[in-house]
Amino acid sequence: MVIETYRPLLETYAYNILGSYEDAKDVVQDVWLKQLEKPVEDMENPRAYLVRSVINHAINVKKRQHKFRKDYPGNWLPEPIATDRADIFLERREILSYSLMVLMERLTPKERGVFILKEAYNYSHKEIAETLDISIDNSRQLYRRGKDKLRGEEVFTEKDTQNPEQLEQLLFAIQNGEMADLEVLLHKDISITSDGGGKVSAALNVVSGTKSASKFLFGIFRKFYENVPEVTIAISEVNNRPALFYSYENKVVNCMFLDMKEGKIANVYFVRNPEKLKNLRKNNI
């Protein structure tokens, strides 16, 4: 069936819009069920039809997701995707960075769709208009709005300023209780965001500032991970960027990412919601 040929690409498009792999799979499955009623094999460009169907359905699901998040306990962060595994089903090179996924939560679902198609996939406004069934002028307007909301953010250059050594330095300072060394690594405007989904303990509010962030990082390590033999901490790769996996009895219980600015750690993200880690848990860490 044609959709199976394009399923990895379609699920990647949907994930980039939704920030949830489970929701992305559901979106593609819904499109597949509709295809049973209206087969696309004989269409002139089935790929374009399927991409269009998936993107528009994902945007509609994102609208519902925004409504759901109003009742979400604490902060909501995207689901991380392990990109250093041989069994990853998505199109690895097409997966957006985690920092960009977080930033795009500032956009409306339609702005996000336009922004991704334009910036990540190099669609022209004519192609975006055809894909989203909007006018070219509307596409340009949505793109400008999205750019304005993200203005000043280095959304596509963080790969060049982030490397595993920075994670190693951070982890070493935390494990050895070196407060001064830790503070040197942190940007003065650092913020820490945690997502526990109401299922595990996590900070409900964003922690900001060098002093508060340092105390928080030390406190989390001492409370949950210090002197616990069953806990292992390893550098892995998520959304094509380095990340720390905290594992308990070979199950990932915390995924930690960094976002750099001016050579220092500007944002730290903790994903602890078990529902968002279950695909990482399939990896044998």
Side-chain angles (χ1 to χ4, degrees):
M1 187 171 289
V2 172
I3 196 170
E4 291 304 324
T5 302
Y6 300 116
R7 186 179 289 272
L9 178 66
L10 296 174
E11 289 188 354
T12 306
Y13 270 85
Y15 166 76
N16 287 338
I17 290 173
L18 294 166
S20 167
Y21 183 40
E22 294 304 311
D23 288 345
K25 290 192 293 184
D26 289 342
V27 162
V28 175
Q29 182 69 10
D30 289 345
V31 171
W32 177 78
L33 292 174
K34 289 182 179 179
Q35 184 196 348
L36 294 179
E37 302 173 2
K38 185 181 179 181
V40 300
E41 278 82 355
D42 298 329
M43 290 185 176
E44 183 178 346
N45 192 341
R47 180 185 184 276
Y49 172 81
L50 290 170
V51 167
R52 175 178 177 173
S53 300
V54 165
I55 289 174
N56 281 285
H57 188 24
I59 288 173
N60 288 331
V61 172
K62 189 67 177 177
K63 293 175 182 176
R64 298 197 295 269
Q65 193 184 71
H66 275 186
K67 293 180 181 179
F68 158 76
R69 281 175 52 188
K70 292 180 180 178
D71 298 321
Y72 193 81
N75 303 292
W76 188 95
L77 289 172
E79 176 185 351
I81 300 292
T83 48
D84 58 349
R85 291 165 45 178
D87 61 343
I88 182 175
F89 192 67
L90 300 179
E91 292 283 352
R92 181 181 285 104
R93 291 176 298 178
E94 303 295 334
I95 297 172
L96 299 182
S97 73
Y98 197 81
S99 296
L100 179 56
M101 296 288 285
V102 173
L103 285 172
M104 287 194 301
E105 290 303 313
R106 301 178 187 178
L107 310 183
T108 67
K110 189 66 73 76
E111 288 169 349
R112 184 175 180 135
V114 170
F115 185 85
I116 289 173
L117 292 176
K118 182 66 176 171
E119 290 282 351
Y121 298 122
N122 297 312
Y123 275 48
S124 68
H125 283 296
K126 182 176 183 296
E127 292 170 321
I128 294 172
E130 292 172 351
T131 299
L132 302 183
D133 195 22
I134 58 178
S135 68
I136 294 176
D137 285 343
N138 193 12
S139 175
R140 289 196 176 102
Q141 185 180 49
L142 289 166
Y143 177 65
R144 283 196 299 269
R145 288 178 187 170
K147 289 282 283 186
D148 286 343
K149 290 180 180 179
L150 301 182
R151 192 171 301 281
E153 301 288 354
E154 300 297 325
V155 294
F156 283 104
T157 61
E158 75 276 3
K159 185 175 183 178
D160 299 326
T161 59
Q162 182 181 348
N163 54 61
E165 286 73 22
Q166 288 154 337
L167 277 170
E168 292 173 355
Q169 292 171 358
L170 177 68
L171 182 59
F172 182 84
I174 293 173
Q175 288 177 322
N176 290 277
E178 299 291 345
M179 179 71 78
D181 290 347
L182 177 59
E183 290 183 357
V184 168
L185 299 173
L186 306 183
H187 193 276
K188 61 182 178 62
D189 297 323
I190 185 174
S191 64
I192 300 176
T193 307
S194 305
D195 181 348
K199 303 177 186 299
V200 296
S201 60
L204 294 178
N205 300 311
V206 174
V207 178
S208 303
T210 304
K211 294 293 184 182
S212 297
S214 299
K215 292 178 181 178
F216 180 82
L217 291 170
F218 278 128
I220 289 295
F221 178 75
R222 289 168 181 160
K223 182 176 181 179
F224 294 105
Y225 308 114
E226 190 176 38
N227 300 320
V228 182
E230 296 85 0
V231 170
T232 59
I233 306 174
I235 294 179
S236 191
E237 183 182 280
V238 167
N239 291 56
N240 298 306
R241 303 292 191 273
L244 279 179
F245 283 6
Y246 292 71
S247 301
Y248 180 78
E249 296 181 345
N250 291 322
K251 292 183 179 180
V252 180
V253 294
N254 188 5
C255 192
M256 175 181 173
F257 314 85
L258 303 183
D259 189 11
M260 308 299 295
K261 182 178 180 180
E262 300 170 349
K264 296 199 173 187
I265 300 168
N267 293 290
V268 178
Y269 305 109
F270 286 112
V271 179
R272 304 196 67 240
N273 185 341
E275 289 299 310
K276 297 181 180 181
L277 298 175
K278 62 184 179 183
N279 287 307
L280 300 184
R281 290 177 174 179
K282 296 175 183 177
N283 198 16
N284 185 22
I285 301 203

